[in-house]
Structures are given as structure tokens and as C-alpha cells.
Amino acid sequence: MASYRIEFAASVRKDFRNIPKREAARILKRIEGLAENPRPPDSKKLTGDGSMRIRIGRYRVLYEIRDRVLLVLVLSVGHRKDIYRK
């Protein structure tokens, strides 16, 4: 299976400002894993817009998979209490 390319929405850089460095490193490692398997067993498809989410402790990563161009687009990263309010 070919590797997917990871891209970040412009707002994701701002999302990482409020996350402790240790947690941010864990999150980035999980995001890198999406290049090999964009649909890991613990991922969940969200209703509505067709985006996906993965959980990393108290944080969530929302992303879209574009299979035709082998792209994973990270839309948002944040604490579980805030992530779905955007």
C-alpha cells in the first residue's frame, strides 16, 4: 500500500499553541502514523461532513482522507471538551 501524504490546515499551528509540548509530541507521532494507515482501528468516522477522528489521551485529531490523491488533511487538534465546538 502506498504511503499517504500528511498536510495540515492553516489553523492547526494555532491549535498546538495551547497543548503542552509532551502531549504535542505524542499527537504528532500519531499523526505521522496516519501516513501508513489513515484508518487505524481506533479511528471513528464523524457524522455530517465525513471527517474522521482519532483519540490521543484527552486530545482529539480531526482529519479528512482523500484517497484519490493519497492525502490526509489534518483539520483540527484540541482538547476533547473543545474540539467539536469549532
Side-chain angles (χ1 to χ4, degrees):
M1 184 166 121
S3 181
Y4 282 68
R5 193 177 68 228
I6 305 288
E7 288 188 8
F8 295 89
S11 62
V12 173
R13 181 182 299 253
K14 187 172 125 180
D15 293 343
F16 273 104
R17 289 183 192 159
N18 298 325
I19 299 174
K21 289 183 182 182
R22 185 174 181 188
E23 294 293 323
R26 284 182 53 210
I27 293 168
L28 286 172
K29 187 174 182 180
R30 275 301 294 282
I31 290 172
E32 289 173 3
L34 293 174
E36 293 303 318
N37 183 9
R39 294 175 182 90
D42 65 337
S43 67
K44 183 176 181 182
K45 186 171 182 175
L46 300 177
T47 58
D49 60 0
S51 59
M52 305 281 289
R53 76 113 163 100
I54 54 172
R55 300 180 342 181
I56 302 102
R58 297 176 301 187
Y59 294 92
R60 305 294 183 261
V61 176
L62 304 181
Y63 63 99
E64 289 181 355
I65 302 169
R66 299 187 181 161
D67 289 314
R68 289 186 180 191
V69 292
L70 297 177
L71 173 69
V72 173
L73 178 62
V74 178
L75 303 171
S76 184
V77 176
H79 194 276
R80 66 187 177 107
K81 69 177 177 152
D82 301 322
I83 193 73
Y84 303 108
R85 296 182 190 174
K86 292 182 179 185

